[in-house]
Amino acid sequence: MHERFDYLCTIRLLMKTNLTTFEGLRKPAYVLEEERLRANLRTISEVAKAADVEIILAFKAYALWKTFPIFREYISATTASSLWEARLGSEEFGHPTHTFSPAYTDDEIDDIARCSSHLTFNSLTQMHRFADAARKANPGISLGLRVNPEYSEVETMLYNPCAPGTRFGVSVDKLPEQLPPYLDGFHCHCLCESGADVFQRTLAHIEEKFAKWFPQLKWINFGGGHLMTRKDYDVNLLIRVLRDFRQRYPWLKVILEPGSAFGWQTGPLVSQVVDVVEDKGIRTAILNVSFTCHMPDCLEMPYKPAVRFAETVDSPEGEHTYRLGGNSCLSGDFIGYWRFDHELEVGENVIFEDMLHYTTVKTTMFNGIGHPAILLAHADGELEVLREYSYEDYRDRMD
């Protein structure tokens, strides 16, 4: 307890820190930088206004509810994939969610419907089974159906929602000519951190497959994966594509629900070196974070994250070259290799860039490894503790 109290005091006593080096942090922390977050939110809000569409936050990528007051300055709704996410949106964001789940269940459908303004079914069987229950639980709810255009340019199959054999959505050959009168919208998700040009090509396939049903609908949701806050993203192309679509189908409300775009490049995961080990010419800097616990996409996709003050290299040769290893007992809990400009020392910071989206929502306590703290960095460098984890958090998950 003394060490935990001391760490909290260390963070709070810093009050202001150097947002480049994070000097003074000596335990791991996700650091959300408020000004970067607001810059993303401004971009997203401007796109929504210029294109006359609604853009909402997908909790699957970012769900730090203590920052929702900032989000509410720019957007008015969120999207959920489960009962707990729907409750988070309804209770903490303060607005019913747009909800999609691969499968609803009898014991949850009523509560999910009550938390939702929009509810999308993944299959015709789910629609027929639960449409009446959802409308009974929430008479004002707007119901939708996920469709599969059988086209996606996502290359990593783990993240391709339209890959052959997908469990997501209804293909065109299975749709009835006349949709049920209670069905208001189509939901279509085909992207993953994609550019506007990819969306433009994908939209052509969506229209080719499903446009004949559009007169029966009130809205269409083009899902997530629109990475409009990435520096090289063609925002103007996205706006033109959406405007043109709205001109062709002016009665359809258009919804986008990105996740990564909100949290993109909004802050790092700051870790510390705890040891350096060597085997067969490979030096591994062991950190007090874990890739499998705290950065799972690095192993799942996989992808190699950027590390501040280091350059990525392809082999362990060379001065000051290290493989970075996590502190779990999973043999593959490592990523490599990086070259630093100095010899790493125990206790110094290793800073992983862009670690706010798809991390805090996916962390685990495998091995009983504690989660990094979650800090909010204000523009003046002041750090605010949003959450710090304890042994009790781990113990209570094992009940």
Side-chain angles (χ1 to χ4, degrees), residues 18-93:
N18 184 317
L19 297 183
T20 300
T21 63
F22 295 97
E23 184 179 359
L25 286 185
R26 57 182 182 82
K27 286 194 176 180
Y30 296 104
V31 183
L32 173 63
E33 298 181 39
E34 182 179 358
E35 285 306 299
R36 291 189 178 191
L37 176 63
R38 286 187 179 275
N40 285 353
L41 286 164
R42 283 192 293 270
T43 297
I44 291 168
S45 178
E46 289 164 2
V47 170
K49 183 177 180 180
D52 191 24
V53 300
E54 183 174 25
I55 304 178
I56 60 182
L57 168 66
F59 286 153
K60 65 181 180 180
Y62 181 103
L64 297 180
W65 59 270
K66 289 184 179 179
T67 64
F68 286 174
I70 298 174
F71 279 77
R72 285 195 295 266
E73 297 178 29
Y74 302 89
I75 65 171
S76 60
T78 60
T79 180
S81 301
S82 64
L83 173 57
W84 288 357
E85 283 190 346
R87 283 192 59 182
L88 190 73
S90 179
E91 297 174 12
E92 301 299 339
F93 196 87

Side-chain angles (χ1 to χ4, degrees), residues 321-346:
T321 298
Y322 299 86
R323 187 170 67 180
L324 300 181
N327 61 344
S328 79
C329 67
L330 175 69
S331 298
D333 191 0
F334 66 84
I335 300 286
Y337 300 93
W338 282 270
R339 182 171 296 132
F340 294 77
D341 63 3
H342 63 283
E343 199 78 8
L344 291 183
E345 296 181 358
V346 170

Side-chain angles (χ1 to χ4, degrees), residues 298-313:
C298 293
L299 303 182
E300 289 178 2
M301 284 195 69
Y303 84 97
K304 193 173 180 181
V307 174
R308 195 172 299 184
F309 308 124
E311 61 174 328
T312 181
V313 292

Side-chain angles (χ1 to χ4, degrees), residues 3 12 23 69 78 80 82 95 120 123 139 213 225 254-255 274 277 285 306 318 367 376 383 397:
E3 183 180 0
R12 291 189 175 116
E23 184 179 359
T78 60
S82 64
H95 192 282
T120 296
S123 67
W213 282 278
V254 175
I255 304 161
V274 293
V277 298
N367 264 183
L376 178 63
L383 293 175
R397 289 182 64 168

